[in-house]
Amino acid sequence: MSAATDSTATSSPAPAGVRRIVVVGGGPAAHRFTEAMAARGLEGMHVTVLTEETHVPYDRVALSKALTQMDVDLTLGDPALWQDPAVELVTGARAVDLDLSVREVLTADGRRFGYDELVLATGSNAATLPIPGNEHTHVYRYLEDVWGINSEVARLTEKLGRTINAVTIGGGLLGLEAAAGVQALGARPVVIDGGKWLMGTQLDEGAGQAMGRLIAGKGLEVHGGVFPSAVLTGQVEGETVVTGVEMADGRVIPADLVIVSIGVRPRDELARTLNGRAKAAAAEAAGVPVEELDDADYTPVFRMGVRGGIVIDESCATDVEHVWAVGEVANFAGMCVGLVAPANTMAEIVADRLHGGDATFAGFDTATKLKLSGVDVASFGDAFAKTEGALEVVYADPARGVYQKVVVTDDAKTLLGGIFVGDAAPYTSLRPLLGRELPAEPGAYLSAAGGGEAPETELPDDAVLCSCNNVTAGRIRDAVGGCGTCDGQNPVQELAGLKTCTRAGTQCGSCVPMLKKLLEQELTKSGIEVSKAMCEHFDFSRAELFEAVRLAGLASYEAVMERFGRGLGCDICKPAIASILASQHSAYPLDAGLGTLQDTNDRALANMQKDGTYSVVPRIPGGEITPEKLGVIARVAQKYGLYTKITGALRIDMFGARLEQLPDIWKELVEAGFESGQAYGKALRNVKSCVGSTWCRYGVQDSVAMAIQMELRYRGLRAPHKFKMGVSGCARECAEARGKDVGVIATADGWNLYVGGNGGANPAHAKLLAQDLDDTTLIKYVDRYLMYYIRTADRLQRTAHWMDDLDGGIDHVRSVVVEDSLGLGEELEAAMARHVENYQDEWAATLNDPERLRRFRSFVNAPDQKDESLAYIEERGMRRPAGPVPLGAAIPVGAPATALVEE
Amino acid sequence: MTILVAERSETDASELRWHDVCRPEDLEPGWGEAAWLDGLQVALYRFPDGSFYAAEQRCPATGAHVMARGIMGSRTTAEGAVHTVASPLHKQVFRLDDGRCLGDDSLSLRVFPVQVRGERLWVGVPR
């Protein structure tokens, strides 16, 4: 039967006379194809993209990001692409059949899409394990898969009340990413791999051994060389739960969650359906049952690869006229490859061909670089030295977990490939030189061998710097110099702009360091200095100034200005210097020389509100407060007519205090035992905690006591940005510690330490830094973390952003804080000890000193005169500012007649 | 001794009403303070280089009376270095010599002439 006999409505969005191009599949290859078509112009054409997913095409390479950060946006490219009238994205449309005779695609819901050209970009499916219990495993392919794993880890952790065992079957690239992801989510990661070593596709044995050692060092448990034989399950409260994985050698590995990542299979079923139909017709004609028909006795519609995939030629055309295949479903030279770079190249080739070009596919670029829980791995080119006469120059240090190999031609001159594990630094500069003559001896690139720095070389213009998007060094130079392809013909001289303009570094990101270097080289060449200067008064960044001030032992603004600055300073450098001096000397912020530097809130030790009055926030460590102290706050608020509100940080904020009232208000609070909550400072705000094991029936540690200790230890600590902490008493995480800069979550064995989280405009989830710490080690790591942050972050840079900017991110931070790789541990702890020793309550110190109190007078010539422009109205039993602060003639100023409540 | 510290050329001195405000040393270098001139709130600034400025205490952007509490500093402009103050609310930076806002032409801060006459600091406000 022909598939076209069904007469349901035909979808044909394209107007008559327009060339209809239909894409089946909505992954990165489909996206790139559509983008490439639009970039070349769509006059007289219409592109329809049929995707079974409900999402706009997203970046599957970055899928692991969505595992730990559910809300991350992975949308590929500019979403405006899908608004183009000549482009249509049809979601929820699964193609199930083709009718070649009338050139139509049929979808599962019975719609038909007529085409003039058809591009198959169906990608792959995650392969599943043919073993019992497979139906209870997770795969790692779509957004829904990783979201499912994320919520399952959380659900099981809460249900079981302990760290769960998450087993990943498959020790390839994706499997290791999945294992590292579940580890970051707080699960115990176990990897089972049938091969003798991890990442067998990319790594040779030596590299695989080094990799295994490093991965084990990161806390991943690896069982290699054995295949699993069954996923074991049990029944708990009517629910089937996974209990373990049985291995071929009879061992049972405990598991609460199993992820299968053993590779992908091309989704070539459309082609198979047509081939099956052709075979059936041939069998019928020959009068034999289909299963007895020899494959040689019929001609398939599409030629297929031995292990699947639709065969394409170098133009990316299939055997069927007007049908193309790109990406993972395309079989070229006997191979399907699950990497984004070749998929992008194929998409560009088909777009070029449809525009009358003659681009050809030269073969797969299988270069891979990734970073797994801090382990650098890279493999590219002829990594296994299969080229005849190829030489392998190797450095291996199994003890350190370092393996570096460069593969060159028999004359040791031309670069053929390489593998790097543990230290992949040379990869970024080597990668673009693939197939070219190396500027130096191959051994010079084995950086771990102590051969020194690889020679700095200028990349030739035609060297491909970003292989994902096929961007050459020359194209980047053009953009830096102002080639005019971007807005306003202006040179693009910032990294972010350069990425947008050229698309280099926007996919896997591994070429970004090289991109940055090339940009800096080009800018230096054109005489432009790459300025990190804070403002016109200093040539330093905050981190540089911090070090300079520390090394020079400077303790006052005047000294810093005289030594390193110029002019009279400004609202940018002055608070930054105040913060640096405060971090290094714990000095009282309003003393001579410091007071004049302070930003709006620090200047009054209170938070300025829209009408110029202040809010007052006493510290309530860990959110624990006695009824007596609550009474004090109530009385003070009543007496001064302050508006009260509970803050998001478990404290009570009192609004509407005038500058000259602050000392009186604080006198009453300090006498009752309160101290400043530093709600005004770039400093520790609070440590939020849940009620913990003292009351809660689920709590496993005393989170309140830990929160109070931490708040008292780090109170008053000045930093480049405000920061918050949280302590949760169990994995249920009621204190939302992972939304804090420093988050501590109790485990049965101690504390897990998370860092780099925040709420606000750009929320970030904190990442796991160390697990199962005792109290002393926890505090030691927090000391080091905070001090390292304070020393090296830029002004107003919060911990999450700071870690993003650090080379190596969380892994670098872990090496400094946990492994003490820079040998700074003791110094950072000593700096924190000095802070703790010198802490004083800023408000108590203010009240004791008439010189300091002088700073709170309202008018130099009338210290008790209040600001009469303030006006309030009553709302819900309290007062608030009367609408917008009154405008109008300022001379003379009196209270507006409309004020309902006057002071 | 009379030191003319800041005087706007467009203001006819005869139209000013001069207020005796405080002693110069009542102001700390770098720390702005408000003054009460018969109901008009004025912000006074003393710079470490010995210069004095006066401006309206009302922030032109928000209407709140806070300008004395902004951070004082300097900026380099086409006409050379100028003394500035940044609004403590939304950080607009104003030149203290003529009140122009750097970066937002639609805003300007009223500035007043200041004189040190003997041991007193005087501020001239248009009548």
Side-chain angles (χ1 to χ4, degrees), chain A residues 588-589 605 676 678 680 716 718 839-847:
Chain A
Y588 173 80
L605 305 177
S676 170
Q678 261 105 17
Y680 45 81
R718 302 284 160 149
Y839 169 80
Q840 54 173 343
D841 172 28
E842 286 159 4
W843 266 109
T846 306
L847 297 170

Side-chain angles (χ1 to χ4, degrees), chain A residues 536-537 568-569 571 574 595-596 599-600 603 612 614 854-855 857 859-861 865 867 869 885 887 890-891, chain B residues 21 26 28-34 36 41 56 58 63 65-66 68-69 72-76 83 88 91 110:
Chain A
E536 67 171 71
H537 306 104
L568 294 170
D571 55 307
K574 280 183 164 181
T596 61
D599 212 343
T600 311
R603 176 185 162 115
Y614 292 89
R854 186 183 58 81
R855 297 191 181 278
R857 64 188 175 201
F859 296 98
V860 62
N861 58 346
Q865 171 68 45
D867 175 359
S869 71
V885 177
L887 304 174
I891 311 171
Chain B
V21 185
D26 288 338
E28 183 188 339
W31 178 271
E33 279 212 61
W36 181 263
Q41 297 187 36
E56 199 176 351
R58 186 175 163 283
H65 288 72
V66 294
R69 290 173 250 165
M72 300 161 56
S74 69
R75 288 293 162 91
T76 309
H83 292 84
K91 311 291 157 86
R110 287 178 50 137

Side-chain angles (χ1 to χ4, degrees), chain A residues 760-776:
Chain A
N762 295 301
H765 264 134
K767 295 174 181 148
L768 184 68
L769 186 75
Q771 276 176 295
D772 292 328
L773 305 173
D774 59 38
D775 292 8
T776 316

